[in-house]
Amino acid sequence: MNLSKKCKIGIVLFCLFVAVCAGICVTSVVQTSSAPKNGQVIVIDCGHGGRDGGSVGVGGTIESDINLRYGKALADKLSASGFRVVMTRKDENGLYDVNAKNKKLSDMQKRMEIIKQANPALVVSIHMNSFPLKTASGANCYFRKGDKQGEQCANLIQHTLNAYCGAPNKDARVGDYYILNCSYYTSVLVECGFLSNPEEEKLLNSPEYQQKVVYSIYAGIMLYC
Ligand SMILES: [Zn+2]
C-alpha cells in the first residue's frame, strides 16, 4: 500500500500523541513502524567547533557543544534504523587546518569535502539560534532555494517539531547558508531553538527536551526517506 506523505505524517503524529498519552517511550514508535533503511547515507553536520563556538547562551551554553550532543543523539537513532551515518565532526574540535589564514573558510571547505565523499541521500546540519529579542523562541528549519527535496524534508521535520515540541505553527524557510549551498545534495539546516531566550536555553539543555527535539528531527527524516 502506498501511503501519501500527508497520510504518513498523520499516522506518525497520531502515534506520537498516543505514545505520549500512554507514557510509552516514544523512541520506539517510528523505528518499529518503518522498514530498515538499508544503508542509505545521511551526513549529520554539527555546526561550529574548536575556536568557533557559535552562539553563547544567556546562561553560558556554548552552541558548538550542544550541537554536538544533539547531533550524536540523532546519529545514534538513525544508525539504529539502518542508515549509514557520516558525521562531519565527532568531537569538540573544528575541521579547519590549524595553519589556514581563514579558518572559517577552511572549516567549511572540509565539511563540503566530507559531504561530497559521502554521496549522501540527505545532509542535516544542527545549530542553535540566537536573536537580540530575548522572547524569540522555537525551532526553525531551512533549505536551499530551489532544492525541492530539501524543502519537502525540511517541512516534514518542521511540522513534527511544531506538533511535538510546541514550536510556533510555521513552515520551513529558504536559508542562505554555506552548508546548504556547498553541494547539490538534499540538505536541511535545523536551528533547534534560541540560546538567547533564557527559558529556552534551559529547555534545550534538559535531557527530556533534547530527546523530544532529536526525536522530531528523526521522525521527519523517517517520513522523508
Ligand atoms: Zn550556528
Side-chain angles (χ1 to χ4, degrees), residues 48 63 67 127-128 191:
H48 313 281
E63 188 197 344
N67 290 345
H127 285 257
M128 303 288 153
E191 296 273 10

Side-chain angles (χ1 to χ4, degrees), residues 48 53-67 69 127-132 134 136 193-205:
H48 313 281
S55 314
V56 180
V58 280
T61 306
I62 309 289
E63 188 197 344
S64 57
D65 294 343
I66 192 167
N67 290 345
R69 284 211 304 275
H127 285 257
M128 303 288 153
N129 227 333
S130 183
F131 194 68
K134 283 192 166 37
F194 284 79
L195 294 178
S196 47
N197 178 321
E199 285 85 43
E200 194 152 272
E201 182 188 19
K202 278 187 202 143
L203 262 184
L204 288 162
N205 275 305

Side-chain angles (χ1 to χ4, degrees), residues 12-71:
V12 167
L13 292 180
F14 177 74
C15 288
L16 284 170
F17 177 73
V18 170
V20 170
C21 290
I24 297 167
C25 176
V26 291
T27 53
S28 64
V29 176
V30 166
Q31 279 176 5
T32 52
S33 64
S34 301
K37 296 303 178 182
N38 299 324
Q40 278 191 81
V41 178
I42 296 190
V43 170
I44 304 291
D45 172 63
C46 299
H48 313 281
R51 54 188 281 153
D52 171 19
S55 314
V56 180
V58 280
T61 306
I62 309 289
E63 188 197 344
S64 57
D65 294 343
I66 192 167
N67 290 345
L68 188 62
R69 284 211 304 275
Y70 276 58

Side-chain angles (χ1 to χ4, degrees), residues 122-179:
L122 177 65
V123 179
V124 180
S125 186
I126 304 291
H127 285 257
M128 303 288 153
N129 227 333
S130 183
F131 194 68
L133 191 67
K134 283 192 166 37
T135 52
S137 68
N140 293 292
C141 296
Y142 295 91
F143 56 94
R144 178 176 67 248
K145 191 176 180 183
D147 177 7
K148 288 286 167 208
Q149 299 294 311
E151 180 175 1
Q152 187 191 1
C153 182
N155 270 312
L156 287 166
I157 296 172
Q158 181 72 65
H159 295 155
T160 313
L161 284 162
N162 295 350
Y164 192 45
C165 298
N169 201 13
K170 56 192 164 189
D171 290 330
R173 307 169 193 166
V174 167
D176 186 19
Y177 296 100
Y178 181 95
I179 204 75

